[in-house]
Amino acid sequence: MIKKLPLFIIVCLLAISSQALAETELEIEGLEGPLLSNVEAYISGIPEEDYSVSLRFQARLQESITDALKALGYYQSTTTFVVEGDTSDRTLLVNIDAGQPVIIYVSDIVISGEAAADEDFINAVDNSGLNLGQVINHGRYESLKSTLQNLALRKGYFDGDFTTNRLEIAPGRHQAIVRIHYDSGKRYSFGETSIDGSQIEEKRVRSIIPFQAGDPYLASQVGELNQYLSNTEWFSSVYVEPDIDAVGKTYQLPMKVHLSPQVRNQLETSIGYATDVGARGKIRWKKPWLNPEGHSLDTALSISKPEQEATISYKIPLEQVLKDYYVVKYGLKNVDNNDTDSLESNLAFERHWVYDSGWHRTIYTRFLYEEFTQGVQDGTAWLVLPGISFSKSRSRGGTMPMWGDKKAFTIEATDQALTSDVKLLRLQAQGAIVRSIGENHRGVARADIGAIYTDDFYKLPPSIRFFAGGDNSIRGYGYEEVSPKDSEGYLTGGQYMATASLEYQYRVVGNWWVATFVDYGDAWLDTPDWKMGTGVGIRWASPVGPVRLDFAWGLDAEPGDEFKIHFTLGPEV
């Protein structure tokens, strides 16, 4: 027997069904700024498919709005709803009156123990936003508690704890009472540091430690020690840990350093491509440590069509192994590019200093012998070149940093009194800067300037002269093709050089960006003949570094040679 449903039940079911299928949009009125943002954040937890004009949904929505406003100190808000539109496309207007805020009437925040005089704790309280007369904010209250606990762990107040933490609200009186009492206890200091597993002399390893027994504990210095030990490349694994068992027994925290030796031989190979030099390959053989004193050896062979280079360097660390060291380096380089054909032999003795400010200073003397053909000119050159260089590099944001800069300055000089073939003073300065606005806008600027003062320019080998143009110089021109020319039309290289680049990048999606740029500069002897290049490009923030593909037009290039494609892989700063 089939029973028939009453007509009114069918009508109700159809009404419910049509309401479920109808699309509902929300419009919020009456709020702005942080209040609106927080309400939207709370509402975002409700799936859009649950939106409706039903009383049940309105109650759910009002609960979220009330919680969002209470979190920011507004406890007596009122919400009204208005439904607009037809049954197939409805809008739920949500009008919110936040009401009068709850003001901090009593701010009872007390830090006791040794942290009472600690500037970081004092600043945390001063900047907490929980001062007398301010609107109560639950997030700031919880944030201050977390900040105090994190500071205690980072700075060695391991016995610290809250004796009182309470937030009292009187909505009817629009008043809040904040009570946070934190007793830090006594601050721990570093104890003795033990080292095991090292194949390097212990005094050299200890020279890296950024703290001494008795210094106040800082977790950041434990991290620095771990990083410094890794940077030596002497060890395959580094593990630094405090002896937690000492907590509660003594106020000195011994440190344990566990090390494992790095393999004595490392072989690396790589291949790549850049439009400047075409396909290129590199093989590198390293001996990260040769003896207990921590000496190291690094050799490399790099091959491309226009350039082939072999280098070997020997590093001798001094008392501060990461900050003070000697390097003896020899390189042999063959160049066959454009109008340049040279074989360069270079022996250098270098003394390095790395400062806490980030600057790296190098004083060196290099002995250069070069056989060359530059256009119609054949020659040999012997130069003894004392020099000094300064460099500094900073970046934040991974392989494609959103913030960074790099500066480098080099001065070299020689004279016939040093047995050199020619007298000269060579100056060069390079710089790059990366800045961003938000997550999607990125700007890059670069500059490179140089000058040579000499009594006979044409006695200088090509490796000393200046050439411009190419992937990392003036795009739209060939690699090192921007140069003065002799009477036969051959490139001579310049006595002076200045190039600059401005680039804007916009993130399209994920790690993909588009770019537009303009480059400007020249290499010249007497008077510059400025060249400009401009174009567009694609950037990919790959796991191994930025990949750049540029389509560039040399606005002052020779007819028929105005367009160039540039492809590079590597950092911009």
Side-chain angles (χ1 to χ4, degrees):
M1 179 178 180
I2 300 176
K3 293 184 178 180
K4 294 183 179 181
L5 292 174
L7 180 61
F8 79 94
I9 295 179
I10 295 175
V11 172
C12 290
L13 290 174
L14 289 174
I16 293 171
S17 176
S18 63
Q19 181 173 307
L21 293 174
E23 292 185 2
T24 302
E25 293 185 0
L26 296 182
E27 286 188 12
I28 299 175
E29 298 177 344
L31 299 179
E32 61 183 13
L35 295 181
L36 177 60
S37 298
N38 208 47
V39 166
E40 290 177 339
Y42 270 67
I43 292 176
S44 66
I46 303 175
E48 288 190 14
E49 55 267 25
D50 291 353
Y51 287 8
S52 75
V53 297
S54 68
L55 295 177
R56 177 177 294 181
F57 176 73
Q58 291 180 23
R60 180 181 179 186
L61 195 60
Q62 183 165 9
E63 183 179 358
S64 295
I65 292 169
T66 301
D67 291 342
L69 293 175
K70 281 183 177 180
L72 298 183
Y74 291 80
Y75 274 75
Q76 293 184 320
S77 62
T78 57
T79 305
T80 57
F81 300 95
V82 176
V83 179
E84 292 184 348
D86 55 31
T87 56
S88 61
D89 188 6
R90 293 181 171 181
T91 299
L92 182 62
L93 296 179
V94 185
N95 192 286
I96 305 170
D97 180 2
Q100 186 176 339
V102 173
I103 304 299
I104 298 177
Y105 179 68
V106 174
S107 181
D108 181 22
I109 304 175
V110 178
I111 307 296
S112 57
E114 290 190 358
D118 191 307
E119 286 296 326
D120 289 328
F121 281 82
I122 294 171
N123 290 335
V125 174
D126 290 343
N127 299 322
S128 65
L130 297 174
N131 298 321
L132 199 66
Q134 292 184 299
V135 177
I136 187 62
N137 184 306
H138 288 246
R140 292 173 183 168
Y141 172 77
E142 295 297 335
S143 177
L144 177 58
K145 293 198 299 179
S146 296
T147 298
L148 296 178
Q149 290 175 317
N150 291 335
L151 276 174
L153 290 175
R154 282 166 36 207
K155 304 194 72 172
Y157 299 96
F158 295 119
D159 298 328
D161 201 0
F162 292 100
T163 56
T164 298
N165 63 97
R166 188 167 66 251
L167 177 59
E168 301 172 1
I169 305 292
R173 299 169 62 184
H174 307 292
Q175 293 178 349
I177 298 174
V178 177
R179 298 193 189 278
I180 298 177
H181 295 185
Y182 187 82
D183 183 2
S184 71
K186 189 173 180 180
R187 185 177 184 181
Y188 284 68
S189 59
F190 286 108
E192 295 297 328
T193 301
S194 62
I195 300 171
D196 65 70
S198 174
Q199 80 283 15
I200 305 299
E201 288 180 347
E202 186 167 308
K203 67 176 183 179
R204 293 189 178 272
V205 178
R206 287 191 178 277
S207 74
I208 302 171
I209 300 175
F211 52 80
Q212 297 179 349
D215 288 349
Y217 178 87
L218 274 175
S220 60
Q221 290 188 322
V222 178
E224 286 175 9
L225 175 57
N226 204 312
Q227 184 63 51
Y228 293 164
L229 290 168
S230 298
N231 289 346
T232 64
E233 300 184 346
W234 290 337
F235 310 107
S236 61
S237 69
V238 175
Y239 185 59
V240 181
E241 62 173 346
D243 186 359
I244 301 299
D245 293 338
V247 174
K249 300 176 182 178
T250 173
Y251 288 104
Q252 283 206 337
L253 198 61
M255 302 300 298
K256 298 179 179 179
V257 178
H258 307 282
L259 305 169
S260 297
Q262 185 59 272
V263 295
R264 303 200 68 160
N265 293 280
Q266 295 179 336
L267 189 65
E268 300 175 4
T269 59
S270 63
I271 57 174
Y273 181 87
T275 47
D276 277 353
V277 297
R280 57 186 175 186
K282 185 175 183 178
I283 184 169
R284 187 179 182 188
W285 171 49
K286 294 174 60 179
K287 295 181 75 67
W289 59 280
L290 290 165
N291 51 39
E293 288 76 31
H295 296 194
S296 59
L297 184 70
D298 192 346
T299 63
L301 175 64
S302 180
I303 298 175
S304 66
K305 184 178 180 180
E307 298 178 358
Q308 305 84 44
E309 183 176 17
T311 60
I312 181 170
S313 63
Y314 190 91
K315 182 178 178 181
I316 305 170
L318 300 177
E319 289 187 5
Q320 297 289 329
V321 298
L322 290 176
K323 297 182 177 181
D324 300 286
Y325 53 90
Y326 288 107
V327 173
V328 181
K329 183 161 52 179
Y330 176 74
L332 186 65
K333 184 176 183 179
N334 181 67
V335 176
D336 184 3
N337 179 54
N338 297 328
D339 300 329
T340 303
D341 188 357
S342 77
L343 181 62
E344 172 191 348
S345 179
N346 210 326
L347 176 64
F349 296 90
E350 303 173 348
R351 173 70 164 89
H352 295 255
W353 293 264
V354 180
Y355 299 102
D356 293 337
S357 63
W359 282 99
H360 184 164
R361 181 181 70 173
T362 306
I363 294 178
Y364 61 88
T365 298
R366 64 186 182 110
F367 301 86
L368 171 65
Y369 179 75
E370 190 166 344
E371 299 176 357
F372 65 91
T373 299
Q374 185 65 51
V376 297
Q377 178 192 2
D378 293 323
T380 62
W382 166 256
L383 298 174
V384 179
L385 289 161
I388 183 170
S389 69
F390 295 88
S391 64
K392 183 177 182 179
S393 181
R394 304 178 298 173
S395 67
R396 295 197 298 261
T399 58
M400 192 167 177
M402 300 297 286
W403 183 96
D405 51 56
K406 182 178 182 179
K407 300 173 281 288
F409 309 92
T410 303
I411 302 174
E412 294 182 315
T414 191
D415 191 274
Q416 288 90 343
L418 296 175
T419 73
S420 295
D421 292 339
V422 64
K423 179 180 181 179
L424 74 88
L425 171 65
R426 188 176 191 271
L427 310 173
Q428 188 168 6
Q430 299 168 302
I433 184 170
V434 173
R435 292 294 185 268
S436 59
I437 300 175
E439 295 295 322
N440 299 321
H441 304 274
R442 191 170 181 266
V444 181
R446 293 192 303 270
D448 189 355
I449 59 175
I452 301 170
Y453 302 94
T454 180
D455 53 3
D456 192 342
F457 174 80
Y458 291 99
K459 284 188 177 181
L460 298 178
S463 65
I464 295 293
R465 306 180 191 187
F466 294 114
F467 298 84
D471 299 343
N472 296 300
S473 182
I474 310 174
R475 286 163 287 188
Y477 302 84
Y479 177 49
E480 297 190 343
E481 286 183 359
V482 176
S483 158
K485 296 181 179 180
D486 59 24
S487 58
E488 300 295 324
Y490 293 107
L491 304 176
T492 64
Q495 188 170 350
Y496 308 96
M497 179 190 64
T499 65
S501 174
L502 287 175
E503 181 171 314
Y504 166 73
Q505 300 171 2
Y506 176 75
R507 188 196 302 269
V508 178
V509 60
N511 291 324
W512 291 92
W513 302 66
V514 293
T516 182
F517 59 84
V518 58
D519 300 336
Y520 192 76
D522 191 27
W524 71 94
L525 288 173
D526 299 310
T527 304
D529 181 16
W530 300 109
K531 309 291 191 300
M532 179 179 288
T534 187
V536 295
I538 299 171
R539 304 288 180 266
W540 175 41
S542 78
V544 295
V547 176
R548 294 174 283 164
L549 177 63
D550 289 322
F551 304 92
W553 287 263
L555 303 185
D556 301 290
E558 296 180 359
D561 196 31
E562 298 95 340
F563 178 69
K564 294 283 190 252
I565 296 177
H566 300 276
F567 177 81
T568 52
L569 169 63
E572 296 157 309
V573 295

